[in-house]
Amino acid sequence: MTNVAEVVVRAGYRVVFRSVFANMDPERAHHLAFAVIRWLPRVPVLAGVVERYSRPAARDGVTAMGIHFPSRFGLAAGFDKDAHGIAGLGLLGFGHVEVGTITARAQPGNERPRLFRLIPDRALVNRMGFNNAGAVVAARRLERARRNPGRPVIGVNIGKSRVVAVEDAVDDYLESTRVLAPFADYLAVNVSSPNTPGLRGLQELDQLRPLLAAVHDAAGRTPVLVKIAPDLTDEQVDAIAGLAVELGLAGVIATNTTIARTGLRTPTDEVEAMGAGGLSGAPLRERSLAVLRRVRAAVPDDFCVIAVGGVTTEADVQERIEAGATLVQGYTAFLYEGPTWATRINRLRRRRLRRAR
């Protein structure tokens, strides 16, 4: 779309968000918006127009983990939990789409309500609980998605099934790995969501080492990364980054959501009423950036580090790249910025790269 059309669509989305989505249950609003994204590739003329103007600059591509990414910017896990919308999300300008979190066994997730907006903070609190249809169902969708020659790079984020005890987590992750790795460009091992009991305990090195080693071996040629929490101490971040390098993993994703609730503009009583869950969005920016820098300092230059957390603008993307990120992801800002978000970032990056010539 032209800049004028982009401005019109963006302004229209803001009106719809304020008048409709902001007054609607966040999960229902997500499903409505996602239905449109899934529908987009089915209208070839419209899809062609959207793809033409959302396409990232060729010079923004990068090769990491032996994979060519058409741009540095992609969509983090959490938006497309079941690999339904990969084609549509690619049309909107995301260079890679990380689906999931997917578990070996299908599960409904936590009870609703489980997703909450903090509009003054441009943030979300979620305790979704890895709601998904399971690895076998996702594998069929991923196989179909891979047949699309214009698809984005596909990451698959895997987590522990809720009904599986923590002491049996390795076998559970291995089941997902064997089913999903053949259809993933890369695998992300999620041990950092706060919404599955006991999961974050897997970040302790004595539990993390055997888990990552087993998944790495089972994944074969599919690159494996580990996704870590922003709530780790600096020493824990250093230790996990070192372990990832030692085991021959392809990279680290920094970071997941946080359990912290400091420095928010949303009234405290409203935040407390939301209850437990992971906070994402703009308030996570500083800590996520600090963890990124910590990880980059602990790993080799060619080691892939994916930055996520509090990314909203093209300037945020550039800041993460300058801090050492190989790739950058966003999610929460998509809900606030609307369907032209990735297009706008790609356009501004194209302009930045032209100036840098």
Side-chain angles (χ1 to χ4, degrees):
M1 63 189 71
T2 64
N3 290 357
V4 172
E6 180 187 318
V7 170
V8 171
V9 171
R10 187 182 183 191
Y13 180 81
R14 287 178 172 174
V15 171
V16 171
F17 181 88
R18 286 195 301 265
S19 60
V20 180
F21 287 167
N23 299 307
M24 185 185 295
D25 172 73
E27 191 167 351
R28 181 169 177 238
H30 171 81
H31 288 312
L32 288 174
F34 195 34
V36 175
I37 292 169
R38 293 176 62 184
W39 166 82
L40 180 60
R42 302 175 190 175
V43 186
V45 173
L46 179 59
V49 171
V50 171
E51 192 274 337
R52 176 184 174 188
Y53 289 103
S54 66
R55 186 182 304 151
R59 293 182 65 230
D60 201 30
V62 64
T63 298
M65 305 180 288
I67 305 164
H68 178 70
F69 290 77
S71 77
R72 301 273 194 138
F73 185 60
L75 185 64
F79 190 89
D80 186 358
K81 292 181 174 294
D82 270 315
H84 278 298
I86 294 169
L89 291 164
L91 289 173
L92 292 179
F94 294 102
H96 69 279
V97 175
E98 190 171 307
V99 302
T101 296
I102 296 169
T103 53
R105 307 184 190 188
Q107 55 188 45
N110 294 321
E111 292 184 3
R112 301 187 186 192
R114 55 193 181 181
L115 183 64
F116 308 88
R117 300 186 195 91
L118 292 75
I119 293 177
D121 296 288
R122 298 179 67 81
L124 295 173
V125 165
N126 95 83
R127 52 173 176 273
M128 302 298 290
F130 294 169
N131 53 305
N132 74 107
V136 171
V137 173
R140 291 197 292 266
R141 294 176 183 144
L142 290 165
E143 184 178 19
R144 289 194 297 269
R146 289 179 67 86
R147 296 174 192 159
N148 175 8
R151 66 173 177 85
V153 172
I154 302 172
V156 179
N157 186 296
I158 59 173
K160 185 184 77 67
S161 302
R162 190 181 185 93
V163 297
V164 172
V166 172
E167 53 266 27
D168 298 322
V170 172
D171 288 340
D172 187 61
Y173 277 92
L174 284 178
E175 185 176 345
S176 294
T177 300
R178 294 182 182 116
V179 172
L180 296 168
F183 308 108
D185 290 313
Y186 71 84
L187 280 180
V189 180
N190 186 349
V191 289
S192 49
S193 169
N195 300 317
T196 296
L199 187 75
R200 282 194 167 193
L202 293 174
Q203 293 177 113
E204 297 296 331
L205 289 191
D206 59 341
Q207 297 188 67
L208 188 60
R209 179 183 294 276
L211 170 61
L212 293 180
V215 170
H216 182 249
D217 288 345
R221 295 183 178 180
T222 304
V224 175
L225 303 90
V226 60
K227 186 168 186 174
I228 62 175
D231 307 306
L232 297 170
T233 66
D234 288 347
E235 291 73 18
Q236 288 174 312
V237 171
D238 293 345
I240 293 175
L243 177 64
V245 174
E246 176 192 335
L247 294 177
L249 267 60
V252 171
I253 303 175
T255 63
N256 211 318
T257 58
T258 180
I259 58 174
R261 298 290 190 270
T262 56
L264 299 177
R265 298 176 181 176
T266 302
T268 302
D269 58 341
E270 292 183 23
V271 175
E272 290 177 349
M274 295 173 187
L279 175 74
S280 63
L284 191 53
R285 176 179 169 272
E286 290 301 324
R287 179 55 186 164
S288 179
L289 183 58
V291 174
L292 163 64
R293 288 176 171 143
R294 193 94 194 177
V295 171
R296 176 45 72 196
V299 300
D301 291 344
D302 61 351
F303 194 76
C304 182
V305 183
I306 302 180
V308 56
V311 173
T312 300
T313 66
E314 188 275 336
D316 292 332
V317 174
Q318 184 64 25
E319 180 181 48
R320 301 303 170 99
I321 292 170
E322 291 174 356
T326 315
L327 300 163
V328 182
Q329 295 178 344
Y331 165 26
T332 300
F334 195 16
L335 280 66
Y336 288 99
E337 296 291 318
T340 63
W341 180 43
T343 299
R344 187 163 62 257
I345 286 177
N346 289 340
R347 175 172 53 79
L348 292 173
R349 290 202 58 71
R350 190 178 299 114
R351 185 180 301 169
R352 179 188 293 274
L353 292 167
R354 280 201 301 264
R355 290 199 304 266
R357 284 183 179 178

